Amino acid sequence: MTLLRDAASTAPDPGAVLARAALRAAGRLGVTHDQLARVIGVSPSTVSRLKSGAARLERDQKSFELAALFVRLFRSLDAIAGGDERTARAWMKAQNLALGRPPIERIQTVAGLVDVVDYLDARRAPL
């Protein structure tokens, strides 16, 4: 029992791990802290606290779910772009006829974030 308890106490905090992943994804996609704040539904100061480690995402909050979706967007786009950061950044800022606006603008609403993730998932694994 002690071994399991010790392993659980040393396990990484999911909220901190997801916050770091979202911040890293934002950096690689050229998404600013203000834009990331709008995407995950927190204040820009909260994003700064997430970056410094003074805050973390809570599993039972919408910001956690939205950050997970944002990381999913990054993973899909990274796979499609073959890991080319410049291509992924350019795609985020380019006008997209299927989405109606540049993806960076679409993802700043929950519906837009879901639409972009769905779009990328469809492009990543066509039937």
Side-chain angles (χ1 to χ4, degrees), residues 19-42:
R20 284 193 306 274
L23 286 161
R24 194 170 300 126
R28 294 206 42 210
L29 293 176
V31 175
T32 67
H33 284 174
D34 286 348
Q35 291 168 327
L36 180 61
R38 285 190 295 278
V39 170
I40 66 172
V42 298

Side-chain angles (χ1 to χ4, degrees), residues 42-56:
V42 298
S43 69
S45 60
T46 298
V47 171
S48 293
R49 288 193 303 278
L50 290 170
K51 185 175 182 181
S52 72
R56 65 188 190 85

Side-chain angles (χ1 to χ4, degrees), residues 44-72:
S45 60
T46 298
V47 171
S48 293
R49 288 193 303 278
L50 290 170
K51 185 175 182 181
S52 72
R56 65 188 190 85
L57 297 169
E58 299 293 334
R59 189 180 286 260
D60 61 344
Q61 294 182 349
K62 290 294 180 200
S63 56
F64 187 97
E65 293 177 36
L66 293 170
L69 266 178
F70 179 71
V71 170
R72 182 172 158 194

Side-chain angles (χ1 to χ4, degrees), residues 42-112:
V42 298
S43 69
S45 60
T46 298
V47 171
S48 293
R49 288 193 303 278
L50 290 170
K51 185 175 182 181
S52 72
R56 65 188 190 85
L57 297 169
E58 299 293 334
R59 189 180 286 260
D60 61 344
Q61 294 182 349
K62 290 294 180 200
S63 56
F64 187 97
E65 293 177 36
L66 293 170
L69 266 178
F70 179 71
V71 170
R72 182 172 158 194
L73 176 153
F74 167 75
R75 289 173 52 96
S76 292
L77 183 54
D78 189 57
I80 291 168
D84 186 340
E85 201 170 299
R86 282 189 303 179
T87 299
R89 284 177 178 229
W91 185 85
M92 287 294 291
K93 294 176 184 169
Q95 182 63 34
N96 185 301
L97 295 177
L99 296 171
R101 295 192 323 234
I104 190 63
E105 293 177 15
R106 286 298 307 272
I107 67 172
Q108 294 183 39
T109 66
V110 174

